[in-house]
């Protein structure tokens, strides 16, 4: 529901709200009647998101390639900040790139698991939750850096 609203699929959001309300009331006949409309809106949202992401990715590929060429290897601290910036700007591909670089630098297995969770959130376009995970990861890193 909330993700539908975040990506602008408002019809899907409102249908989901109504379905949830009717499900709580166990109104099976309403749910069965509304399900085809829900699936139709789901497919529309999916198609729109795929189209958007394909165009967005194509437009930004050259920009990302320029960034890779221009920037020297980044430290963990810098990668974390770049990742947070990319997530704040809802830049899927750029976020994934910084996360991949972070993963290659991370040796701690528990922290690698955190990076995997971030990856899942980014793939699901859940940038807000991904940001929270990055902030937690950053706090853990800062504690490790203070000990050294």
């Amino acid at each position: 529901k909330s993700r539908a609203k975040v990506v602008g699929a408002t019809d899907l959001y409102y249908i989901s709200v109504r379905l949830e309300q009717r499900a709580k009331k166990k109104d099976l006949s309403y749910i069965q009647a509304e399900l085809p409309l829900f699936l139709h809106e789901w497919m529309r949202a999916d198609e729109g998101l795929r189209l958007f992401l394909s165009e967005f990715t194509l437009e930004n590929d050259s920009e990302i390639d320029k960034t890779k060429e221009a920037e020297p290897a980044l430290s963990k601290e810098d990668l974390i900040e770049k990742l947070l910036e990319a997530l704040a700007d809802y830049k899927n591909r750029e976020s994934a790139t910084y996360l991949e670089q972070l993963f290659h630098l991370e040796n701690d297995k528990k922290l690698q698991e955190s990076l995997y969770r971030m990856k899942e959130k980014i793939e699901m376009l859940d940038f807000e939750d991904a940001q929270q995970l990055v902030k937690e990861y950053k706090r853990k890193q800062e504690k490790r850096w203070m000990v050294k």
Side-chain angles (χ1 to χ4, degrees):
K1 234 179 20 184
S2 60
R3 289 192 182 121
K5 192 173 186 181
V6 167
V7 299
T10 52
D11 290 339
L12 180 59
Y13 169 77
Y14 288 114
I15 291 168
S16 298
V17 169
R18 288 193 308 269
L19 282 171
E20 183 179 59
Q21 291 168 348
R22 295 297 181 108
K24 287 178 182 175
K25 295 177 183 178
K26 299 184 182 188
D27 187 349
L28 191 57
S29 62
Y30 179 86
I31 294 170
Q32 288 174 333
E34 192 78 355
L35 196 56
L37 181 58
F38 171 81
L39 293 174
H40 171 75
E41 289 301 324
W42 176 272
M43 296 304 288
R44 280 187 55 218
D46 182 63
E47 182 180 331
L49 284 170
R50 288 180 191 278
L51 180 63
F52 170 77
L53 288 174
S54 69
E55 288 180 18
F56 181 78
T57 300
L58 292 175
E59 288 174 9
N60 289 300
D61 275 348
S62 60
E63 195 175 306
I64 291 169
D65 289 341
K66 288 177 192 172
T67 303
K68 285 181 186 174
E69 292 170 10
E71 288 183 6
L74 297 173
S75 67
K76 271 189 188 180
E77 296 98 323
D78 291 338
L79 284 170
I80 291 169
E81 292 307 316
K82 293 279 191 183
L83 177 57
L84 284 168
E85 289 172 22
L87 289 168
D89 292 336
Y90 300 96
K91 293 183 178 178
N92 185 306
R93 179 109 175 192
E94 197 171 324
S95 298
T97 300
Y98 290 128
L99 185 58
E100 184 179 329
Q101 291 174 26
L102 257 178
F103 186 77
H104 289 296
L105 295 176
E106 187 56 66
N107 297 322
D108 185 287
K109 294 294 181 192
K110 288 185 179 182
L111 292 175
Q112 284 178 348
E113 290 174 18
S114 296
L115 296 174
Y116 276 121
R117 286 194 303 276
M118 287 177 219
K119 181 180 180 196
E120 290 171 354
K121 296 295 183 183
I122 291 169
E123 287 172 350
M124 295 180 68
L125 304 178
D126 194 346
F127 296 106
E128 289 83 10
D129 282 354
Q131 278 182 305
Q132 291 306 312
L133 290 172
V134 174
K135 288 175 184 177
E136 289 172 24
Y137 176 81
K138 181 180 177 181
R139 282 191 293 275
K140 290 175 185 175
Q141 286 294 334
E142 287 170 345
K143 285 180 184 176
R144 289 176 70 198
W145 294 324
M146 290 174 87
V147 171
K148 289 183 180 180

